[in-house]
Amino acid sequence: MQIQVKCTCGEGNCPEWAIVELQGTVEAQPSFQNSLQNLQIGILCRQSQESHTFSVGYHELTGTKVKLKKPMLVLKKIKLQNEEEIGETEINSLRVELDVIGIIRHKILFKTRPKALISKPQLAVKEKVTPPSSTVPN
Amino acid sequence: MDMEHLGLRSTGGAEAVLGLQPNSTMSIAYHSLFGSHNDITLLEIDETLIPDILQQRVTIRGQPDEDAVLCTQSKTYALKYVGTSNSVLLIPPSDKAVKECNDITIPVAAVFKVAPGIMEVVEVAPKLDKLKFLLSQNPYSFDEASDMDISHERMNTGLYSWDNLVDEVQASNEELRSGLQALSAVEIYGYWRVLDDKYMDMILNILLHDVILNDWSFNALNEDEVLRALETDGFPCNIAMHCLKVYGNKVEEHVGGSCVWQLEERRICVHFAREILKSGKMKVEKFMAEWIRKVPDGMHASFDMLEGEVLTEKLGIETLIYHFSVSSLPSTPAERFKILFRERQKWEWKDLQPYVRDLRVPGLSAEAILLKYTRRTQPTVDAEPIFSAR
């Protein structure tokens, strides 16, 4: 079986995506769990040349923009219908292709322990601090 | 301002995140189409592979029950999924399709998906053992060649065209081609075949007979003359050419004219050694006598030609020799050493070397491969090192 990898946007036109990476998980309040779309997560701020902060709920994370050691490609699996005529019968087979829809060269990485912010209003989304080894399901 | 559900204007996206200036802020929100998007994966690869990927020279190969590999034109890479416990928020470039809404004053970038892990690639040796297995199921024999009634239904089962092989074998195109060459495979009616031993032996013997008959030189065979003679003997042109390629080397290329070939002494001598040893283990002296007799006049058989092809063992005062060819061993180190140590518990380096020097593990040197799969002992400082299983 062969799956072709291609880039329909064309070389040189492949758009750059971004990653914001943090330790722990982002959790929405139960009442919002099923309608996350368009919900604000937090505020990203660039403090200085080197430093970014990300405020989610009661927490403020500090981090930096880093260049990835190796770039990453964003691949999308595409299923195509293949209509073939073999002899008298028509065979509909599925063909899978992988389309490169983006490339990532940088990320904003937050590695520090979050700082608790005081006197912030109750927000729909908060950042839950979990030890790195466990993940909280979304 | 309603901070909870923001109407998103396409002002942001990845560009805004990456281009955020000092002393600026922006909002990060869930995309209007946020979801698990299991059809989207992240693949970490070397910068050097990117042009190949973007120019459609890369494919993923493998059967459903195999671990997928990524193949460029010349190399093969294993794909490994590495999970992460971090939250990797994936932000696409600004999306014109995002719904327009309220007037907002700070840019917004939308998170499309949280990636639970990424795919990594590791260069690996091509998995060519399967190629050998597939082709050896239906070797091309003299009987099949003489069978004028070629029914194409029969031809379609158990036979592999180039496209079939690409489908079945996890190797890049170049590696697949060298694999076919290493097996001395030949394309017949669009299918890649290996010739069975008897057929090869037959053609070679007839070729050697023709050389003597026509008083040709082993070192300067005229391609056209050879093909014509073998055709008269009943061998189709492509099979005759194949014989030249397997047992000879092209020494002169004449554009518009006939090429000149030289028969390879070693390959021919090894062929006859194999034929003799088909009957099983035999005493070395008996073997040598028969071998010298069988080898064509003008060619010289020497024992060192047989490295990687035969092993000897002592039985009392006699030494026996038997066929043990590196070409019949698996190409993966773990499997290879298992068989080698089953054959012999202890190996001296000079005996072992011909059976391991073709092993390839990208990223590991020959010494590292030995270190990983064998135990090396050296009785005394002057003694030869001995290799045994770990």
Side-chain angles (χ1 to χ4, degrees):
Chain A
M1 220 174 70
Q2 227 196 149
I3 296 175
Q4 179 68 50
V5 180
K6 61 192 185 49
C7 184
T8 46
C9 19
E11 196 183 7
N13 286 338
C14 208
E16 191 170 351
W17 288 43
I19 281 177
V20 168
E21 184 172 344
L22 38 106
Q23 287 174 347
T25 50
V26 171
E27 226 181 50
Q29 277 194 347
S31 51
F32 290 94
Q33 290 280 6
N34 291 324
S35 57
L36 292 175
Q37 287 78 12
N38 296 322
L39 195 63
Q40 181 180 253
I41 299 172
I43 303 287
L44 180 71
C45 179
R46 187 168 179 191
Q47 304 289 8
S48 66
Q49 197 67 14
E50 294 303 317
S51 163
H52 285 72
T53 58
F54 190 35
S55 309
V56 180
Y58 289 115
H59 292 116
E60 188 184 79
L61 307 166
T62 312
T64 45
K65 177 178 168 188
V66 301
K67 180 169 176 173
L68 299 182
K69 275 195 296 271
K70 285 194 200 178
M72 284 200 267
L73 295 179
V74 184
L75 300 177
K76 187 181 165 101
K77 191 194 280 194
I78 302 177
K79 289 191 180 142
L80 300 163
Q81 270 292 56
N82 238 4
E83 266 187 41
E84 268 178 62
E85 263 198 47
I86 297 180
E88 299 262 309
T89 41
E90 245 184 53
I91 296 177
N92 282 336
S93 59
L94 273 183
R95 201 174 76 227
V96 175
E97 278 186 354
L98 283 173
D99 193 17
V100 178
I101 58 175
I103 186 168
I104 304 168
R105 297 184 185 280
H106 299 95
K107 63 183 178 185
I108 319 281
L109 176 64
F110 295 93
K111 284 197 297 195
T112 60
R113 226 186 138 60
K115 191 174 86 178
L117 298 168
I118 39 175
S119 62
K120 264 276 181 184
Q122 185 79 3
L123 287 177
V125 175
K126 64 180 202 279
E127 206 261 343
K128 180 165 173 162
V129 180
T130 50
S133 58
S134 67
T135 4
V136 176
N138 281 344
Chain B
M1 183 149 69
D2 179 359
M3 286 300 285
E4 284 163 7
H5 279 90
L6 292 177
L8 296 178
R9 217 168 64 198
S10 54
T11 56
E15 315 92 282
V17 172
L18 298 173
L20 193 61
Q21 292 303 304
N23 292 315
S24 319
T25 52
M26 61 183 295
S27 169
I28 308 285
Y30 287 108
H31 198 282
S32 57
L33 299 171
F34 175 79
S36 56
H37 297 291
N38 293 321
D39 56 339
I40 299 219
T41 2
L42 296 179
L43 175 70
E44 183 193 61
I45 38 138
D46 230 74
E47 187 73 52
T48 52
L49 290 179
I50 292 186
D52 283 333
I53 293 185
L54 297 183
Q55 289 168 35
Q56 301 205 185
R57 291 193 292 264
V58 169
T59 57
I60 309 281
R61 293 184 179 177
Q63 289 300 304
D65 60 337
E66 292 171 328
D67 291 332
V69 297
L70 183 133
C71 293
T72 59
Q73 287 302 306
S74 58
K75 290 193 187 166
T76 306
Y77 299 83
L79 285 164
K80 266 187 350 164
Y81 178 76
V82 180
T84 177
S85 58
N86 283 0
S87 289
V88 176
L89 309 179
L90 203 54
I91 298 171
S94 59
D95 182 7
K96 314 289 185 284
V98 168
K99 63 178 195 231
E100 304 249 341
C101 226
N102 313 337
D103 175 34
I104 46 168
T105 53
I106 63 167
V108 180
V111 175
F112 191 69
K113 173 188 162 115
V114 179
I118 58 171
M119 299 294 289
E120 292 180 352
V121 291
V122 178
E123 194 188 335
V124 291
K127 298 176 202 284
L128 293 172
D129 286 346
K130 192 175 180 191
L131 177 65
K132 200 191 299 184
F133 173 73
L134 293 177
L135 294 189
S136 57
Q137 290 177 320
N138 284 299
Y140 192 68
S141 66
F142 177 68
D143 289 340
E144 189 182 340
S146 347
D147 189 0
M148 296 306 285
D149 172 27
I150 301 150
S151 75
H152 282 279
E153 277 84 73
R154 186 176 68 86
M155 291 294 267
N156 283 338
T157 50
L159 297 184
Y160 300 90
S161 64
W162 172 260
D163 287 342
N164 296 146
L165 290 176
V166 162
D167 229 33
E168 295 281 340
V169 178
Q170 292 183 301
S172 66
N173 288 350
E174 271 177 36
E175 287 163 330
L176 187 55
R177 258 174 243 128
S178 2
L180 286 168
Q181 189 167 28
L183 291 173
S184 298
V186 57
E187 201 175 11
I188 300 172
Y189 296 121
Y191 295 103
W192 282 92
R193 313 292 297 276
V194 287
L195 269 51
D196 83 0
D197 286 348
K198 279 203 195 65
Y199 197 18
M200 284 305 274
D201 185 55
M202 185 191 294
I203 308 174
L204 178 64
N205 278 305
I206 290 178
L207 170 60
L208 292 171
H209 183 73
D210 284 341
V211 170
I212 295 170
L213 209 63
N214 293 296
D215 204 20
W216 290 334
S217 159
F218 287 141
N219 296 320
L221 292 173
N222 182 298
E223 186 181 294
D224 284 348
E225 284 178 2
V226 169
L227 294 183
R228 235 178 293 137
L230 287 174
E231 210 182 340
T232 316
D233 297 319
F235 296 108
C237 179
N238 63 341
I239 300 292
M241 265 311 284
H242 182 66
C243 182
L244 273 179
K245 284 190 194 147
V246 171
Y247 294 109
N249 296 315
K250 196 184 282 195
V251 290
E252 270 173 52
E253 186 97 41
H254 293 285
V255 179
S258 176
C259 306
V260 178
W261 290 76
Q262 176 188 52
L263 288 183
E264 245 251 20
E265 192 177 56
R266 185 184 177 274
R267 279 182 238 161
I268 291 175
C269 290
V270 167
H271 173 89
F272 286 114
R274 282 178 165 180
E275 288 294 307
I276 295 166
L277 291 172
K278 276 210 165 92
S279 46
K281 288 185 188 174
M282 59 173 67
K283 293 190 203 161
V284 169
E285 299 80 18
K286 179 166 178 247
F287 165 77
M288 287 304 290
E290 247 191 79
W291 194 29
I292 288 169
R293 200 173 48 82
K294 262 196 129 132
V295 154
D297 289 334
M299 289 199 180
H300 301 100
S302 66
F303 202 79
D304 56 274
M305 287 175 170
L306 301 176
E307 36 168 56
E309 290 293 327
V310 299
L311 285 180
T312 56
E313 71 180 23
K314 283 227 173 316
L315 200 67
I317 51 163
E318 301 284 356
T319 305
L320 298 180
I321 187 172
Y322 59 101
H323 188 224
F324 188 75
S325 176
V326 64
S327 59
S328 64
L329 300 178
S331 57
T332 49
E335 296 295 312
R336 170 82 60 102
F337 281 105
K338 189 163 114 194
I339 294 185
L340 287 175
F341 290 125
R342 193 164 52 195
E343 187 63 32
R344 258 189 207 178
Q345 276 190 334
K346 295 187 202 296
W347 289 76
E348 277 185 27
W349 177 239
K350 66 169 170 55
D351 296 329
L352 184 63
Q353 201 218 5
Y355 291 97
V356 299
R357 63 184 162 205
D358 64 315
L359 285 175
R360 294 261 174 279
V361 179
L364 279 187
S365 65
E367 291 78 29
I369 295 175
L370 281 177
L371 201 66
K372 185 170 177 182
Y373 294 99
T374 70
R375 203 165 62 92
R376 183 181 191 271
T377 54
Q378 199 163 357
T380 66
V381 168
D382 311 318
E384 286 293 313
I386 302 284
F387 294 86
S388 53
R390 270 206 164 271

